[in-house]
Structure formats: C-alpha cells, structure tokens
C-alpha cells in the first residue's frame, strides 16, 4: 500500500475553505526524509509566493508531531508535511494507514491570509505586472515590473481606504472554455490566467481586483486589519519592490 498510495494526490481542503483549522486524515506515505503525506489536509503547501503552513499532527495515542513547514511533493497533486527537527523516535513509530488529526497553526496562517489578500489590494493600487511575490507571517513583498517611482504615502493611504471599505472577497472556479467565451473577463484581470489545466480559480475582491490565484484569503478586506508600507525599493531598473507589514 505505501508504494502505490504515495503517488495519490492529496485532497486540498484549504482550497475550498481557507478557514478550516483541522481535519481527520490518514497517512498515505512516509518519505525517506521523514516527510508525511496524508490523504487529505488543511495544510497549505508553499506556492504562489505564499509560505507553507506549520502546525501539528495529533495521533490516536495522544502524542503529537510538530510540523514545521509544508511543501508540494514530487508527484503531481501531492503535499508533504515536514516535521520539525528532533522527533525521530515519534516519527519512527508512524505507519501508513494511521489515522490522525491534522491541525494548522491558525494564528500564523491567518497572517498569511491577511497579507495575501492585502497583496491583491496592492495589485489594484499599482496596475503593473507582478514579477515576484513572497508572503510570510512577518511581511508580504510584491515586485512590480515598472520604471516609475512609487509613492509610499499614497499606497499606504490606498490600502487603509480599501481595508476600511470592507469589500467582500470571493472565489470561484471557471473553465477555460468559459474564459475563452468572455474576453472582457480576461482583460479585467490584474494577472493573466494560466492555461492548460482546464479550469482556473478566480479570486475577486469585489469592486477592486480580479485575478487567478490558488492561495488562501480572508473573506472581507476589513479582516486584513491595519497594514502599512514598510518600504519601497528599486530592485532593478525595471523592478519596484513594495514590502508590507502589520501596523501593530
Ligand atoms: Zn491570492
């Protein structure tokens, strides 16, 4: 069972409901480096600029495995939960097939969600192509392909206005056929949709921004809270980097 099930895609519960903090799951594979694969998970794997989740796995005997990070696995659709250092004994007792509860560090994830949604607001305020993105619990960083200088005060004020306006944030799946049938929809997106998988996940900050995105977001811009521009850097002749942080 371990060999064949190792290539099974992991059911991505966070994709439909970013607010799920835990789920029951079964171990499908244990990698040579100790990475754990589950049949389903609430842990977001690092991707799209957003950091992977941390958290813990609660075992039936009451013990816990601390998870330090989450990554995409080598096989398509698989997700690997990476245990924190120093848990060799507990890990050695694990077997594929074992049922457990997977629970994310919600405080950390919620910061990812708040920052991630703030980067969508930034896309609306700075209408230039994005060529780099990093979202962590401590800061969010977005690189814009542009040559003009950016006004730190104006961006900070724009973010505060959009957060205060409490815009709903929604997501939906759309087929590539539907996208092809509606060129104006594609034109209205701040980021162009990837092609080839048959369907695209759209994230809409109502009245503000529409773009394809697979990350986790808050449900309303008011949930982002007070976010400020830490700095704006000229990374290259054609790149302006905006770094956000939480006000408190
Ligand atoms: Zn997003």
């Amino acid at each position: 069972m371990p060999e064949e099930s190792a290539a099974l895609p992991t059911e991505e519960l966070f994709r439909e409901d970013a607010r799920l903090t835990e789920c029951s799951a079964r171990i499908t594979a244990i990698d040579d480096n100790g990475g754990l694969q589950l049949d389903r998970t609430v842990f977001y794997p690092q991707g799209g600029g957003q950091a992977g989740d941390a958290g813990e796995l609660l075992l039936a005997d009451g013990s816990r495995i601390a998870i330090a990070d989450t990554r995409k696995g080598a096989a398509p659709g698989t997700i690997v939960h990476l245990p924190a250092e120093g848990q060799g004994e507990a890990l050695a007792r694990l077997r594929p097939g074992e049922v457990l509860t997977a629970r994310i560090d919600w405080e950390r994830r919620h910061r990812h969600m708040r920052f991630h949604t703030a980067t969508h607001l930034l896309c609306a305020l700075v209408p230039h192509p994005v060529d780099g993105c990093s979202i962590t619990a401590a800061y969010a960083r977005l690189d814009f392909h542009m040559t003009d200088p950016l006004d730190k005060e104006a961006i900070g004020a724009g973010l505060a206005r959009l957060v205060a306006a409490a815009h709903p944030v929604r997501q939906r799946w759309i087929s590539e056929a539907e996208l092809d049938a509606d060129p104006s929809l594609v034109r209205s997106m701040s980021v162009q949709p990837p092609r080839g998988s048959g369907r695209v996940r759209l994230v809409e900050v109502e009245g503000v921004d529409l773009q394809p995105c697979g990350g986790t977001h808050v449900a309303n811009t008011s949930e982002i809270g007070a976010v400020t521009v830490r700095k704006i850097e000229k990374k290259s002749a054609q790149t302006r980097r905006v770094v956000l942080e939480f006000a408190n």
Side-chain angles (χ1 to χ4, degrees):
M1 172 175 154
E3 250 79 319
E4 287 137 81
S5 57
L8 278 179
T10 311
E11 190 185 344
E12 303 176 333
L13 301 179
F14 53 85
R15 208 72 82 179
E16 297 307 322
D17 185 358
R19 310 192 82 86
L20 267 185
T21 58
E22 65 176 55
C23 70
S24 66
R26 189 180 296 274
I27 298 174
T28 53
I30 302 171
D31 300 347
D32 293 339
N33 63 2
L36 301 168
Q37 295 185 34
L38 308 175
D39 61 345
R40 59 211 294 263
T41 192
V42 291
F43 282 70
Y44 180 87
Q46 182 187 72
Q50 183 177 327
D53 280 328
E56 58 185 5
L57 304 179
L58 286 68
L59 308 178
D61 66 2
S63 63
R64 292 154 191 252
I65 303 282
I67 299 299
D69 200 357
T70 311
R71 299 294 172 90
K72 289 173 181 163
T78 59
I79 292 176
V80 180
H81 305 74
L82 299 172
E85 299 285 320
Q87 304 181 96
E89 264 178 56
L91 289 170
R93 288 196 297 271
L94 295 179
R95 296 288 177 269
E98 193 164 344
V99 172
L100 46 74
T101 297
R103 179 186 293 163
I104 55 169
D105 177 342
W106 170 248
E107 202 176 318
R108 170 183 147 111
R109 156 71 86 69
H110 193 231
R111 291 173 75 90
H112 295 170
M113 289 162 61
R114 291 164 63 203
F115 270 139
H116 191 136
T117 311
T119 65
H120 286 236
L121 303 185
L122 206 48
C123 287
L125 294 169
V126 183
H128 292 274
V130 172
D131 58 10
C133 174
S134 179
I135 293 153
T136 72
Y139 65 87
R141 196 180 74 199
L142 215 50
D143 293 340
F144 292 97
H145 185 80
M146 60 186 295
T147 52
D148 296 336
L150 284 170
D151 183 336
K152 188 178 171 192
E153 301 302 317
I155 291 175
L159 287 171
R161 175 173 52 80
L162 293 170
V163 168
H167 295 276
V169 181
R170 298 194 178 92
Q171 62 181 58
R172 67 181 193 272
W173 290 93
I174 188 169
S175 71
E176 287 181 15
E178 288 172 285
L179 282 175
D180 292 336
D182 191 353
S184 69
L185 179 64
V186 175
R187 270 200 304 276
S188 69
M189 293 184 202
S190 59
V191 176
Q192 287 311 295
R195 299 290 183 140
S197 70
R199 58 181 204 150
V200 173
R201 185 174 182 256
L202 294 184
V203 173
E204 179 172 26
V205 181
E206 200 179 274
V208 179
D209 181 71
L210 176 68
Q211 61 177 277
C213 186
T216 59
H217 310 83
V218 293
N220 189 290
T221 59
S222 62
E223 197 181 330
I224 295 170
V227 64
T228 60
V229 180
R230 183 196 295 172
K231 60 181 171 182
I232 291 176
E233 294 175 287
K234 181 176 176 179
K235 286 305 287 181
S236 75
Q238 310 224 310
T239 306
R240 300 293 177 273
R241 170 170 287 180
V242 180
V243 184
L244 305 179
E245 63 186 358
F246 292 126
N248 39 19

